[in-house]
């Protein structure tokens, strides 16, 4: 089993993808263990001599920060925190995102600024390595004092409570301990806050969404190129000349990628009767390019976040400081997850517009992309389905980060709602994958008609891509049940190796 060592070194998004795709196990590096132990020992000694209250360590939480807690009650305080904050509601968090939450929380605690016990962090590592998925819910976090409710649900099994999914069964935290031969973790001072204060719920959905967004951006270029060939589009809008006088990085990158995908195409070189293409084709460098720039910006923000200590208070053993501040506030993620949702939604919006052009009986393509329209409705309704999905994406693009609602008796008077921005963005990226799959269904059908009409071929890359697709999704001669082909199209995109198209 391949191992990833949790360490202070930068955890990149590419590495996160590799950990998840390969099913790698985690192991705390010696450096991380030393940092965790050093911080815990410092905090224990600090409490022996500290007369002034330390927020969340010797006091209550939120607006209860002025209530001192006796030494005998400190462990119970932390256990009570986890129990009382486990208020998640709604849909369950998918297993793959729960696993990212675990990875993200382990990474954050490993820096030695949180005061957690080594045994606590190791138990989270054991959850990850044994595919133990705490049952977490998508609603309940304000994205401000960390993701309190979902992280509390995630951490209940540490103390023998809550539920987990393990080996296809849903069992209690108590039953999990019995099966694994574990004792419940006895939380020490500050540990409940270390576990619950943090942006790991937002961060996990953000990691999932940004990794998928990067992939969808490449697929959007590839599928658009199939549509462009099928629509008998022009190559000139992809020449460098135009983009060098407006040199946005994503714009240039998109134009060059499309030209590379079309290298060797006979169709793109043929004489065109039409002078211009519609915006959904002609402005792809500008549209897809802007989305690329947004995705790359958000990727930088997310990378910073997953390499951060985001609980409160923050402990600095070398400086003899315990600082109560606001690293748990989700605003950096909230604003950028709203931004990411908008960018990815635009990929779906322009995709639907291209398929609308393809089914419109233009440029010698048959009406609704079927040989005998009338008795056959052909590809009329897949466009409806795509339009429905795009409409939902547009509604999801109302920013969550512009809202705030007071909490904790006004002590927490500005919240980010980054948690809702995160789950919303997750839905947008999955919706966009569906729309692109429907575009590919249309584009491949239209390209077959174009090749029959002209007797010409597309580029080697496009020919290979469509040939692979045709192994899973056949050409439609007459009306048939299309949702099955849409599902196959989605599955094809999820399994497709981008390296096949040099992407």
């Amino acid at each position: 089993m391949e191992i990833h060592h949790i360490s202070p070194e930068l955890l990149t998004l590419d590495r996160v993808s590799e950990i998840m795709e390969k099913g790698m196990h985690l192991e705390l590096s010696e450096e991380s263990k030393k940092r965790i132990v050093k911080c815990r020992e410092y905090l224990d000694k600090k409490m022996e001599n500290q007369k002034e209250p330390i927020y969340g360590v010797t006091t209550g939480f939120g607006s209860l920060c002025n209530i001192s807690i006796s030494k005998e009650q400190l462990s119970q305080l932390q256990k009570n925190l986890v129990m009382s904050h486990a208020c998640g509601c709604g849909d369950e968090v998918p297993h793959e995102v729960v696993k990212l939450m675990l990875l993200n929380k382990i990474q954050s605690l490993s820096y030695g600024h949180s005061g957690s016990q080594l045994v606590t962090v190791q138990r989270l590592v054991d959850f990850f390595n044994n595919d133990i998925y705490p049952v977490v819910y998508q609603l309940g976090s304000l994205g401000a004092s960390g993701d309190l409710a979902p992280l509390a649900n995630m951490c209940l099994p540490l103390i023998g409570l809550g539920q987990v999914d393990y080996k296809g069964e849903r069992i209690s935290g108590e039953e999990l301990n019995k099966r694994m031969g574990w004792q419940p973790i006895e939380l020490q001072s500050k540990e409940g806050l270390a576990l619950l204060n943090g942006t790991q719920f937002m961060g996990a959905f953000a990691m999932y969404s940004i990794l998928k967004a990067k992939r969808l951006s490449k697929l959007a270029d590839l599928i658009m190129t199939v549509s462009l060939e099928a629509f008998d589009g022009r190559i000139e809008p992809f020449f460098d000349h135009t983009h060098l006088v407006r040199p946005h990085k994503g714009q240039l990158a998109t134009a060059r990628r499309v030209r590379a995908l079309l290298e060797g195409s006979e169709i793109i070189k043929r004489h065109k009767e039409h002078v211009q293409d519609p915006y959904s084709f002609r402005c792809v460098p500008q549209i897809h390019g802007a989305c690329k720039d947004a995705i790359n910006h958000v990727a930088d923000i997310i990378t910073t976040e997953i390499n951060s200590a985001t609980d409160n208070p923050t402990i600095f053993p070398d400086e003899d400081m315990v600082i109560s501040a606001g690293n748990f506030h989700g605003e950096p993620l909230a604003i950028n997850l709203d931004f990411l949702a908008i960018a990815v939604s635009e990929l779906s919006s322009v995709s639907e517009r291209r398929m609308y052009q393809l089914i419109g009986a233009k440029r010698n393509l048959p009406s609704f992309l079927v040989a005998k329209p009338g008795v056959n409705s052909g590809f009329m309704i897949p466009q409806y389905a795509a339009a429905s999905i795009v409409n939902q994406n547009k509604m999801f693009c109302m920013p969550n980060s512009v809202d705030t609602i007071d909490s904790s008796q006004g002590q927490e008077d500005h919240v980010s709602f980054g948690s809702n921005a995160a789950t919303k963005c997750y839905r947008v990226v999955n919706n966009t994958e569906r729309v692109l799959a429907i575009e590919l269904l249309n584009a491949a059908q239209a390209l077959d008609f174009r090749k029959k009409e002209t007797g010409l071929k597309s580029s080697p890359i496009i020919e290979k891509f469509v040939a692979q697709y045709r192994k899973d999704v056949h050409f439609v001669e007459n009306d048939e049940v299309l949702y099955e082909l849409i599902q196959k199209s989605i599955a094809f995109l999820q399994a497709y190796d981008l390296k096949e198209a040099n992407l």
Side-chain angles (χ1 to χ4, degrees):
M1 177 62 65
E2 195 168 347
I3 300 294
H4 169 77
H5 288 90
I6 297 291
S7 75
E9 293 181 13
L10 182 72
L11 177 62
T12 66
L13 289 168
D14 286 342
R15 183 60 171 173
V16 170
S17 179
E18 188 178 15
I19 291 168
M20 298 299 287
E21 288 178 4
K22 292 184 177 181
M24 297 169 70
H25 279 191
L26 304 181
E27 187 175 298
L28 292 169
S29 67
E30 289 304 313
E31 175 64 21
S32 292
K33 289 179 182 178
K34 288 177 183 177
R35 289 184 177 214
I36 293 167
V37 170
K38 180 180 179 180
C39 185
R40 183 66 236 174
E41 290 177 346
Y42 163 78
L43 185 59
D44 288 337
K45 291 177 183 177
K46 181 80 171 175
M47 289 175 59
E48 291 177 4
N49 304 311
Q50 178 83 11
K51 294 182 179 180
E52 295 296 319
I54 304 174
Y55 170 74
V57 179
T58 60
T59 74
F61 310 106
S63 63
L64 302 176
C65 60
N66 294 318
I67 299 178
S68 295
I69 308 298
S70 69
K71 185 176 181 180
E72 294 74 27
Q73 294 178 303
L74 292 181
S75 180
Q76 187 63 46
L77 172 71
Q78 301 301 318
K79 183 176 180 180
N80 286 351
L81 177 73
V82 177
M83 292 191 297
S84 66
H85 284 48
C87 295
C89 302
D91 295 338
E92 293 179 11
V93 177
H95 285 176
E96 58 195 340
V97 179
V98 172
K99 196 155 190 176
L100 286 169
M101 287 177 68
L102 291 168
L103 171 61
N104 203 358
K105 175 55 77 175
I106 293 162
Q107 186 70 32
S108 183
L109 296 178
S110 74
Y111 296 118
H113 295 297
S114 301
S116 55
Q117 298 178 91
L118 180 58
V119 65
T120 305
V121 185
Q122 184 58 52
R123 184 64 56 83
L124 292 171
V125 171
D126 293 337
F127 278 17
F128 186 97
N129 290 344
N130 288 283
D131 292 330
I132 296 168
Y133 303 102
V135 178
V136 184
Y137 300 92
Q138 294 190 28
L139 294 173
S141 172
L142 301 178
S145 298
D147 290 310
L148 296 174
L151 288 175
N153 278 100
M154 185 186 83
C155 293
L156 280 174
L158 293 174
I159 56 176
L161 301 174
Q163 294 179 307
V164 301
D165 289 335
Y166 178 57
K167 293 186 175 179
E169 282 186 86
R170 179 153 297 181
I171 59 175
S172 68
E174 182 180 15
E175 176 62 23
L176 174 69
N177 282 339
K178 289 178 181 177
R179 294 192 187 186
M180 302 301 291
W182 292 338
Q183 292 298 316
I185 299 293
E186 185 175 344
L187 298 177
Q188 301 301 302
S189 59
K190 172 56 169 75
E191 276 205 285
L193 279 180
L195 293 169
L196 272 54
N197 277 182
T199 60
Q200 286 75 45
F201 174 83
M202 290 177 273
F205 275 102
M207 284 191 282
Y208 175 96
S209 295
I210 195 65
L211 288 169
K212 195 155 197 173
K214 284 174 167 285
R215 178 176 174 82
L216 292 178
S217 176
K218 295 176 181 179
L219 286 170
D221 290 347
L222 179 58
I223 294 166
M224 188 289 308
T225 306
V226 180
S227 293
L228 182 72
E229 287 281 77
F231 198 60
D232 200 23
R234 302 188 68 99
I235 190 64
E236 291 85 354
F238 300 90
F239 288 167
D240 263 7
H241 307 71
T242 296
H243 309 297
L244 288 171
V245 297
R246 194 198 192 192
H248 292 293
K249 291 180 181 179
Q251 186 171 324
L252 272 163
T254 302
R256 289 170 179 173
R257 176 174 289 165
V258 172
R259 293 205 313 275
L261 291 170
L262 287 172
E263 188 68 35
S265 168
E266 298 171 346
I267 295 173
I268 200 68
K269 294 176 182 177
R270 74 188 292 251
H271 174 72
K272 314 292 182 183
E273 296 295 333
H274 41 277
V275 177
Q276 281 189 337
D277 292 328
Y279 284 0
S280 56
F281 292 96
R282 181 167 28 123
C283 298
V284 161
Q286 291 78 11
I287 300 168
H288 284 203
C291 296
K292 282 184 180 65
D293 288 338
I295 289 167
N296 288 334
H297 168 75
V298 176
D300 289 342
I301 298 296
I302 293 172
T303 299
T304 297
E305 188 71 8
I306 65 176
N307 286 278
S308 301
T310 58
D311 58 297
N312 179 62
T314 316
I315 303 168
F316 300 92
D318 291 340
E319 293 81 6
D320 189 20
M321 297 174 70
V322 180
I323 301 175
S324 181
N327 269 3
F328 49 46
H329 201 289
E331 198 75 6
L333 283 176
I335 289 174
N336 284 283
L337 283 166
D338 282 336
F339 189 24
L340 182 61
I342 291 169
V344 177
S345 178
E346 280 297 277
L347 292 177
S348 73
S349 180
V350 71
S351 172
E352 183 276 329
R353 290 292 79 197
R354 287 192 293 269
M355 68 181 82
Y356 184 79
Q357 294 288 346
L358 290 173
I359 65 175
K362 299 177 180 179
R363 301 185 181 180
N364 294 325
L365 290 175
S367 184
F368 298 113
L369 300 179
V370 67
K372 297 177 181 179
V375 67
N376 293 299
S377 294
F379 283 51
M380 179 190 296
I381 306 304
Q383 184 265 328
Y384 287 33
S388 171
I389 298 169
V390 168
N391 171 261
Q392 188 178 76
N393 272 359
K394 291 174 182 178
M395 298 305 101
F396 284 153
C397 285
M398 166 65 190
N400 296 92
S401 59
V402 299
D403 188 24
T404 184
I405 299 175
D406 278 15
S407 60
S408 195
Q409 299 178 346
Q411 179 73 0
E412 298 161 8
D413 58 349
H414 183 281
V415 303
S416 76
F417 286 117
S419 51
N420 289 344
T423 55
K424 171 196 70 180
C425 189
Y426 170 83
R427 287 167 170 78
V428 170
V429 296
N430 286 333
N431 273 347
T432 297
E433 182 178 66
R434 297 177 182 116
V435 174
L436 290 173
I438 298 173
E439 182 185 357
L440 179 55
L441 180 68
N442 282 263
Q445 182 86 359
L447 184 60
D448 284 346
F449 279 115
R450 181 66 63 201
K451 289 165 64 177
K452 184 176 180 180
E453 179 222 358
T454 63
L456 302 176
K457 291 184 178 181
S458 185
S459 68
I461 289 177
I462 297 302
E463 290 287 338
K464 182 180 179 181
F465 175 59
V466 175
Q468 288 175 299
Y469 180 69
R470 281 287 177 244
K471 292 177 182 178
D472 295 341
V473 181
H474 58 260
F475 179 85
V476 176
E477 291 283 354
N478 297 295
D479 278 355
E480 57 183 280
V481 178
L482 289 179
Y483 85 89
E484 295 175 348
L485 298 187
I486 291 173
Q487 292 300 321
K488 288 180 179 179
S489 192
I490 294 168
F492 172 81
L493 289 188
Q494 290 172 340
Y496 180 71
D497 185 354
L498 291 168
K499 294 177 182 177
E500 293 278 352
N502 298 325
L503 295 174

